[in-house]
Amino acid sequence: METTLRGVGVSHGVAIGEVRHMGTAVLEPPAKQIPAEEAEREQGRARQAVEAVAADLNARGQLAGGEAQAVLEAQAMIAQDPELMSDVDRRITVGSTAERAVYDAFSHYRELLAGAGEYMAGRVADLDDVRNRIVARLLGVPMPGVPDSDEPYVLIARDLAPADTALLDPALVLGFVTEEGGPTSHSAILARALGVPAVVALPGAGELVEGTVVAVDGSTGEIFVDPSAEKKEQLEAAAAERKAALAAATGPGATSDGHKVPLLANVGGPADVPAAVEAGAEGVGLFRTEFLFLDDSTKAPSEEKQVDAYRTVLEAFPEGRVVVRVLDAGADKPLDFLTPADEPNPALGVRGLRSLLDHPDVLRTQLTALAKAAEGLPVYLEVMAPMVADRADAKAFADACREAGLQAKFGAMVEIPSAALRARSILQEVEFLSLGTNDLAQYAFAADRQVGAVSRLQDPWQPALLDLVSLSAEAARAEGKSCGVCGEAASDPLLACVLTGLGVTSLSMGAASIPYVRATLGKYTLAQCERAASAARAADSAEEARKAAQAVLSGE
């Protein structure tokens, strides 16, 4: 009998296939004592396993490339964390086996993160994955991970670690469903980059019986269990219609009556550029430069290395717009040379622009590198600061850009509610705004963007979030300046129409989403988008907002 479940759709498309569950986690190693004379050997075993897992994660990253590479390299850094290894060595010294010492050391750190309720709690899944891989190697058992199968399937998991998501084979994994996670989790972002339909935050996903046929709609978040032949036909017809619409939609982003809305790409480095160009991106709306800094958490990359990376991206968009975000370190992206190690809540501490203003040499080097990278190129370079709270922040950043001799537009990201509320004041110092809807939602609703239990508050359709977007766009319009969206909200085709109706002047997203947004936006007039935006803001919940906008655009 067909039943319908609903999670959060995070990657477009429809997948129909049999359920396969993620491999089970590593069992807890037995707690047994070893003689003191074996401690050195066990410490050696532990170090070898850690290095092997770190090398494997780095190798997976090299194969995956792009944003996935940066995520996996960050996981490798977790595996080799000196404090964790010191704890492992200490536990072995007092009698633990290598595998038990690793398990206990990581579990202790896990409890600290999970129990503190901090932003870093969102990285518990990554920590668990690293621990399980090391313990599995020490025990000589298969790694937990994607199941072996000769036939295509829909993957079900409690959560997916980046190491698993990054190397999913779309020919075999038709789509995936997780119990945890949210629309801005690592797995969701990587799923969109792969073009794999995905639904997250689905309670009870793990109870789906192995081999059951399900249909996954990554656009609506619906899961149809044992779908009827009629339902399969409906979904397949809808998927075919979407595919045809994508093929027919080409050229710059615009509404059906010609109102231009540039569609830009979010990139993490040179490896992401080919997909952006192929998707027809009109430029880059968010160049996340922090991935360049994650190669070595102990020091900033040289000016020469930065120039090379930046120039590669700038050269790919001659006479296009490239918006570069300066280093956004802190919270889930700690860097030893930049961010404090003892903050009780890193998400609310010294992160983003605050870190850079505390380390002006790092900011100066990055701005100088950007200036050199753009020399002689016809590209329209724009540089923005993350985590701007007020006019003073905006002025400090603009002053730093001018002192570095940067010939570019200077902008501010709106990720903190205060910036949206005082956007017109901030625009006295900078030339454009860019809305980071992921963090803006996190701070507006006090809802960690990595915690599945509060994913409804991370839904970009929340009317309160749309109000903050509207405030920012209205301020930019009043000042005759631009206001784009570079958060994951822009990748939702229907929401892209609403954002356009709110007055947003450009949309930036993962390359895989650009065709969907272009095709949908081109179906409606600006007036229709404005009416949909008004209807969404008048709603009282994210679900009601989505339905209200859909009703307006479908003429109901």
Side-chain angles (χ1 to χ4, degrees), residues 249 252-258 497 516-525 529:
T255 58
S256 63
D257 56 342
C497 296
Y516 290 92
V517 172
R518 181 190 290 118
T520 304
L521 194 61
K523 291 163 58 177
Y524 306 108
T525 65
C529 292

Side-chain angles (χ1 to χ4, degrees), residues 276-316:
V277 172
E278 184 179 349
E282 297 168 61
V284 172
L286 173 61
F287 180 2
R288 300 183 179 98
T289 59
E290 61 267 19
F291 293 115
L292 187 61
F293 289 74
L294 291 174
D295 286 344
D296 184 348
S297 69
T298 63
K299 65 179 186 299
S302 67
E303 181 181 300
E304 294 74 17
K305 182 176 180 180
Q306 292 188 54
V307 170
D308 289 344
Y310 302 151
R311 194 170 181 88
T312 300
V313 175
L314 296 177
E315 286 176 336

Side-chain angles (χ1 to χ4, degrees), residues 27-34 38-47 49-50 79 81 83-110 127 130-132 134-136 138-139:
L27 296 175
E28 181 178 346
K32 63 180 183 181
Q33 290 292 108
I34 60 167
E38 293 183 14
E40 187 174 345
R41 179 178 65 84
E42 290 296 290
Q43 288 169 342
R45 286 182 64 228
R47 281 191 292 273
V50 165
D81 182 270
E83 289 188 19
L84 271 170
M85 284 310 301
S86 293
D87 192 15
V88 170
D89 283 343
R90 181 188 62 78
R91 292 172 186 275
I92 291 174
T93 300
V94 296
S96 285
T97 61
E99 47 267 37
R100 186 70 206 192
V102 167
Y103 184 89
D104 288 342
F106 273 73
S107 296
H108 175 68
Y109 191 40
R110 182 191 198 283
L127 190 71
V130 172
R131 177 199 66 196
N132 291 345
I134 297 171
V135 171
L138 286 165
L139 291 174

Side-chain angles (χ1 to χ4, degrees), residues 421-442:
L421 294 168
R422 301 290 294 171
R424 198 159 182 180
S425 171
I426 287 172
L427 283 166
Q428 305 310 303
E429 305 293 343
V430 295
E431 297 172 81
F432 69 93
L433 300 176
S434 184
L435 287 142
T437 51
N438 306 347
D439 269 324
L440 187 57
Q442 171 174 249

Side-chain angles (χ1 to χ4, degrees), residues 5 29 35 85 170-171 181 192 212 214 224 267 293 303 317 349 378 382 411 428 441 451 462 540 543:
L5 307 174
M85 284 310 301
R192 284 189 286 272
T212 301
V214 297
F224 303 95
V267 304
F293 289 74
E303 181 181 300
F317 296 95
E382 301 184 11
Q428 305 310 303
V451 177
Q462 285 285 355
D540 291 320
E543 184 61 27

Side-chain angles (χ1 to χ4, degrees), residues 37 170 359 397 417 435:
E37 59 269 20
H359 297 81
F397 177 66
L435 287 142

